[in-house]
Amino acid sequence: MTPLNRSTFRPWIAVLGLLLFAGRATEAQDQAPAANNPALAEPITKGLHVFTCGHSFHVWVPGIVADLCRLAEIPDHVQLGVSSIGGSRVIQHWDITPDKNKAKEALQTGKVDVLTLSPIFLPDPGIENFTKLALEHNPNIRIIVQPIWLRWDIYEPTTKRPEKVDHNAITGEELRKRHAEHFQKMDEHIRELNQQFGRTVLYIAPAPQALIAVREKIIAGQAPGLKTQEDLFTDALGHGKPPLMALVAYCDFAVIYRRSPVGLPVPAILKQAKLGDQEAALNRLLQELAWEAVLQHPLSGLRR
């Protein structure tokens, strides 16, 4: 056998070193907000001024978050406005004519503390455009991006829409597999934009991850009041019923106010589900799964 010498290993050692450095750099960037400013990870107790741009998987979040602020006794929360366009990409909200563009108008006042956006798939230059405008008028603003959960349970850029959708037939493992590329691309885009702007200004509210966790609980028979995955949806597309809407709002609330929703009373939206004596138990489960998803996501701005 030919003896191996040090020169044989040097190229591979260099490559391994670069890979380890890249991984640590990404981790450091994700953790930068808490490391550079510990206050960022502290719960926010005073009401914020929020503006929302979104589609039918997001535009109802502001009303529920306002209710959660009331239940959490957070004073002076203000929803400054909502730009609502069905099935929209963020760029569509950006492209609204100046005389009707309430989002740009609000951002230009410098009074928006948090802007929430809900892209569908990338590319979507609207995220960058809004972030740039927001920072010009308020350098301390935070942009919270709520990625969409897969409509029809498929990744549309690569998968043909099925003739029939059976939400009950899919497993948690398969859902994670189908969402993987979507999650990866969104995370990469948010990291790139934060690097471009030289600071962490964009964060992710991981609603799709929390939804997958709830669906797994339903499959396991561990979601009080929910018998099938279909109990979360109004249609094949994936529009949410009250339990799903409450879950998503808990994710957004947690990222906006940097605080756990666990222990809050049942919000008005979940009462609409008429779950009877299962209501409190399901509410607690939704809170815990939303909070766990937020803590696990490296771009939520929160750590354990």
Side-chain angles (χ1 to χ4, degrees):
M1 179 181 292
T2 303
L4 298 175
N5 55 50
R6 292 182 180 179
S7 61
T8 304
F9 290 102
R10 283 172 185 163
W12 292 106
I13 292 173
V15 171
L16 179 60
L18 287 172
L19 291 173
L20 290 172
F21 176 80
R24 288 171 181 169
T26 298
E27 182 180 1
Q29 182 181 353
D30 290 342
Q31 295 180 348
N36 296 338
N37 184 358
L40 287 178
E42 294 297 319
I44 296 171
T45 57
K46 184 179 179 181
L48 299 171
H49 291 182
V50 181
F51 195 96
T52 293
C53 296
H55 43 63
S56 58
F57 282 30
H58 182 65
V59 292
W60 34 263
V61 165
I64 305 175
V65 168
D67 187 33
L68 297 179
C69 287
R70 179 185 62 82
L71 296 173
E73 299 182 350
I74 299 174
D76 303 322
H77 171 86
V78 178
Q79 183 70 35
L80 293 173
V82 176
S83 176
S84 175
I85 304 175
S88 60
R89 300 163 63 222
V90 177
I91 191 62
Q92 292 175 250
H93 298 268
W94 177 264
D95 288 339
I96 295 173
T97 57
D99 59 313
K100 297 180 180 180
N101 200 314
K102 300 300 182 182
K104 290 182 183 178
E105 181 181 328
L107 291 172
Q108 288 165 352
T109 68
K111 297 180 180 179
V112 180
D113 299 310
V114 173
L115 172 67
T116 74
L117 304 174
S118 53
I120 298 181
F121 299 116
L122 300 174
D124 190 339
I127 302 173
E128 179 179 352
N129 292 351
F130 272 120
T131 303
K132 182 177 180 180
L133 176 65
L135 287 173
E136 287 175 359
H137 297 278
N138 181 1
N140 296 315
I141 196 170
R142 287 183 296 141
I143 315 294
I144 295 176
V145 176
Q146 180 201 298
I148 197 170
W149 51 95
L150 298 185
R151 301 181 298 186
W152 300 284
D153 282 339
I154 54 110
Y155 183 54
E156 296 166 68
T158 60
T159 306
K160 183 179 178 181
R161 187 185 309 174
E163 293 184 3
K164 182 179 179 180
V165 175
D166 184 355
H167 293 302
N168 296 326
I170 193 168
T171 65
E173 181 181 1
E174 180 62 23
L175 282 167
R176 286 188 168 81
K177 180 180 178 181
R178 295 185 187 187
H179 280 78
E181 184 175 352
H182 174 43
F183 289 160
Q184 179 183 354
K185 288 186 174 180
M186 191 63 65
D187 288 359
E188 288 175 351
H189 186 56
I190 297 306
R191 287 191 180 102
E192 289 168 359
L193 288 177
N194 283 333
Q195 185 175 14
Q196 175 183 322
F197 288 109
R199 52 161 296 188
T200 303
V201 62
L202 291 119
Y203 301 85
I204 285 182
Q209 289 88 337
L211 176 54
I212 293 172
V214 171
R215 294 178 73 170
E216 288 183 315
K217 289 291 186 182
I218 293 173
I219 293 170
Q222 299 172 351
L226 303 178
K227 296 181 179 179
T228 69
Q229 296 180 65
E230 290 285 356
D231 290 339
L232 294 169
F233 307 105
T234 64
D235 54 23
L237 185 75
H239 287 103
K241 289 183 177 179
L244 186 157
M245 297 168 76
L247 173 77
V248 173
Y250 280 136
C251 290
D252 282 72
F253 170 83
V255 178
I256 291 171
Y257 279 99
R258 299 190 184 280
R259 58 187 293 172
S260 170
V262 178
L264 290 180
V266 178
I269 186 64
L270 191 56
K271 290 182 180 296
Q272 294 180 18
K274 301 183 185 304
L275 296 168
D277 59 4
Q278 301 293 308
E279 182 180 86
L282 180 62
N283 185 50
R284 180 78 181 199
L285 177 66
L286 297 177
Q287 292 171 342
E288 291 174 347
L289 294 179
W291 183 233
E292 182 65 20
V294 167
L295 291 179
Q296 286 186 358
H297 201 289
L299 292 168
S300 70
L302 287 155
R303 298 290 180 271
R304 293 189 185 281

